[in-house]
Amino acid sequence: NAGVMQNPRHLVRRRGQEARLRCSPMKGHSHVYWYRQLPEEGLKFMVYLQKENIIDESGMPKERFSAEFPKEGPSILRIQQVVRGDSAAYFCASSIGDEKLFFGSGTQLSVL
Amino acid sequence: KQEVTQIPAALSVPEGENLVLNCSFTDSAIYNLQWFRQDPGKGLTSLLLIQSSQREQTSGRLNASLDKSSGRSTLYIAASQPGDSATYLCAAANTNAGKSTFGDGTTLTVKP
């Protein structure tokens, strides 16, 4: 039973480009969460999704950031027109309802 | 707004020692509290989950306690080993398990 899969592990973008981060939850998990870990800072909640629905996006910046979890396929975190301040590790977690969170290995985004 | 604090930020102990990591939270109306381990460059591994109605959880050499009234949780590690060296994070969830507020972690080094 594969764990939470995130890809790519490392992503390099130039300022102004788009970044697309993918997350496949554990089999049977219908709840997906995205967190961001900025350099020298703790993990911060961004968004909570269930299949085809955004449940809570209170931690996500209002501009340039969007997330989806379609009926088929992985969850996508999309960052448009990236800036240097977006450089961080982005983690995805999944769960079955209100149970333990299982995290992926993260995507390290570097903006040049 | 929930705030989670972990003290100390770093801890170094000789192998074999028993140790306690501390976590405090400001909003006692938590849904659950989870302890994680993070190795450098890796994702988070869930160690223990304590539901709001529970006082403690145990797994092997690990024991986590929860005192909602005082806003504290502790992670006790018995007979520490070099392989326990990692950053330990606690996360408090107020509404659902996935939307958690993380502390900044305690970085543990166990010396052989």
Side-chain angles (χ1 to χ4, degrees):
Chain A
N1 187 10
V4 178
M5 304 299 291
Q6 289 189 250
N7 67 81
R9 284 299 311 275
H10 302 277
L11 182 61
V12 179
R13 285 288 177 266
R14 296 191 180 279
R15 280 179 295 171
Q17 291 184 319
E18 177 181 287
R20 291 170 70 88
L21 288 62
R22 294 175 184 76
C23 169
S24 296
M26 284 184 72
K27 187 176 181 180
H29 286 195
S30 58
H31 300 245
V32 166
Y33 308 85
W34 286 93
Y35 282 79
R36 177 165 68 172
Q37 189 171 36
L38 290 165
E40 308 303 324
E41 293 190 21
L43 274 161
K44 297 285 190 275
F45 167 82
M46 297 182 73
V47 61
Y48 163 33
L49 310 107
Q50 293 181 23
K51 283 286 186 182
E52 299 186 276
N53 288 303
I54 296 175
I55 307 301
D56 185 333
E57 56 183 349
S58 58
M60 200 153 67
K62 296 283 187 287
E63 298 180 354
R64 302 187 298 108
F65 285 72
S66 62
E68 63 176 8
F69 188 18
K71 188 176 179 181
E72 302 290 338
S75 174
I76 306 286
L77 179 67
R78 182 181 177 208
I79 311 171
Q80 295 177 292
Q81 299 175 331
V82 296
V83 300
R84 289 217 171 113
D86 296 333
S87 295
Y90 291 82
F91 290 96
C92 169
S94 72
S95 72
I96 301 175
D98 293 328
E99 300 290 334
K100 269 188 185 181
L101 283 179
F102 292 84
F103 277 81
S105 297
T107 293
Q108 181 65 52
L109 173 65
S110 299
V111 179
L112 304 179
Chain B
K1 179 188 171 187
Q2 179 71 275
E3 293 181 5
V4 178
T5 304
Q6 291 186 247
I7 294 173
L11 181 62
S12 180
V13 300
E15 182 177 2
E17 193 163 297
N18 302 326
L19 59 101
V20 174
L21 306 181
N22 297 295
C23 171
S24 61
F25 46 92
T26 55
D27 185 350
S28 61
I30 63 170
Y31 188 86
N32 64 40
L33 188 135
Q34 199 162 349
W35 282 92
F36 294 88
R37 168 189 173 134
Q38 185 175 27
D39 293 282
K42 303 279 182 65
L44 281 69
T45 301
S46 177
L47 298 173
L48 291 164
L49 170 70
I50 311 176
Q51 299 289 0
S52 173
S53 58
Q54 298 173 323
R55 294 297 297 263
E56 65 177 343
Q57 283 287 328
T58 298
S59 176
R61 294 183 294 109
L62 305 179
N63 174 278
S65 68
L66 174 64
D67 184 343
K68 289 195 302 179
S69 61
S70 66
R72 294 175 190 241
S73 176
T74 61
L75 178 67
Y76 174 81
I77 302 176
S80 58
Q81 303 170 357
D84 294 332
S85 298
T87 296
Y88 290 81
L89 299 160
C90 75
N94 283 88
T95 52
N96 65 71
K99 185 181 178 183
S100 292
T101 301
F102 279 79
D104 288 340
T106 294
T107 299
L108 173 65
T109 303
V110 181
K111 299 176 182 176

